[in-house]
Amino acid sequence: MSTVWLIASGKGGVGKSTLAAGLGVSLGREGQRVCVVDADLGLRNADMLLGLSDRVVYDLMDVAKSGCAPEQALIAVPGEEQVFLLPASQFARAKDLDPKDFRHVIRGLRESFDQILIDCPAGTERGLRGAMACEPDRALVVATPDDVSLRDAEQLCGLIRKKALPGPQLLVNRLRPELIRTGEMISAAAAAAALDCPLLGEIPEDPLVYRALLRHLRVTDVDCAATRAFARIAQRMCGGEVPLPDYGRRPEGLLRRLFRRAPKEVRILDH
Ligand SMILES: Nc1ncnc2c1ncn2[C@@H]1O[C@H](COP(=O)(O)OP(=O)(O)O)[C@@H](O)[C@H]1O
Ligand SMILES: [Mg+2]
């Protein structure tokens, strides 16, 4: 039995592709056979995040429209035996892919994979609506803990419910425990309550995520807090009961509290 996961967000740049790549590899390490599908036509980047940018020959559009066999387009992630990428086309646009063709491609992949992760285009427009046609089993909404992203996530949750897709689950990315403790940033649990959406996972802001990108490494090749969060979420996606870390809500140890620097005042500029 395969599970198809939509990975979507209202606002762009919140970490969908980073999560698709990180969760794809983490699920592979859980023994799952995984396909990451880059459905962000014209803006592909899952290939880069999985270290495969120089290996793309055929892509999703070739499979959907030109009769290319999926096996020809799928790229194996080196060192991660069970993880594959179906890359997006760099030149196609959302309107070029018929949702029915996309559904047909995903149905075909279900026969060979346990977990299929669809890295969706941002927003609630045509690109996402096309991706939604793939009969997903789960819809993951990615948001960062700020009002702009959360308002867009609310719109997206509304659309998912309206389309009668499986109820959305929330992933909150780029959490800063120290800002949650000072009350400046909303916690993942509070964000989930505000959106009335079950929380599947929370990922801290981690400078190593960006440094891995700068050094052309996969995020799962570095040992960091974000990678450990991906591993926990992957276990949860496989049905494991892994407690949520609840960043910023756990009481700090005495030593940390004593030596914690006071938060810098935000200086407001006079005009
Ligand atoms: N947890 C994190 N900590 C630090 N940087 C992150 C984190 N998650 C994502 N990023 C950075 O945010 C940027 C946008 O991520 P990306 O996955 O491309 O977003 P999207 O696919 O939603 O547009 C990238 O530079 C990525 O390295
Ligand atoms: Mg992306």
Side-chain angles (χ1 to χ4, degrees), residues 13 15-18 38 40 43-46 49 119-122:
K16 288 178 301 302
S17 303
T18 306
D38 191 342
D40 202 351
L43 291 172
R44 79 164 178 229
N45 49 29
L49 294 165
D119 181 14
C120 293

Side-chain angles (χ1 to χ4, degrees), residues 74-189:
L74 288 168
I75 314 170
V77 176
E80 308 289 343
E81 251 173 66
Q82 307 247 70
V83 186
F84 293 78
L85 170 72
L86 179 56
S89 160
Q90 187 67 308
F91 305 106
R93 294 289 167 265
K95 66 175 173 44
D96 302 328
L97 180 60
D98 184 333
K100 279 197 227 96
D101 292 338
F102 186 57
R103 180 159 59 229
H104 184 71
V105 172
I106 302 302
R107 274 188 192 158
L109 292 176
R110 278 184 184 270
E111 284 164 29
S112 319
F113 293 97
D114 303 313
Q115 308 283 352
I116 299 166
L117 308 185
I118 318 273
D119 181 14
C120 293
T124 53
E125 297 308 319
R126 189 173 194 155
L128 176 73
R129 286 165 197 257
M132 281 176 159
C134 73
E135 303 167 324
D137 300 292
R138 303 288 173 88
L140 300 183
V141 171
V142 183
T144 47
D146 58 80
D147 287 348
V148 175
S149 170
L150 291 174
R151 185 199 277 169
D152 293 356
E154 192 173 22
Q155 291 278 104
L156 175 58
C157 288
L159 178 68
I160 290 170
R161 291 182 183 119
K162 197 168 127 202
K163 293 267 174 195
L165 293 179
Q169 290 175 287
L170 185 66
L171 289 173
V172 185
N173 189 20
R174 309 193 79 155
L175 288 153
R176 304 262 309 259
E178 73 285 9
L179 295 184
I180 297 171
R181 279 189 206 106
T182 57
E184 286 168 279
M185 181 178 272
I186 188 170
S187 71

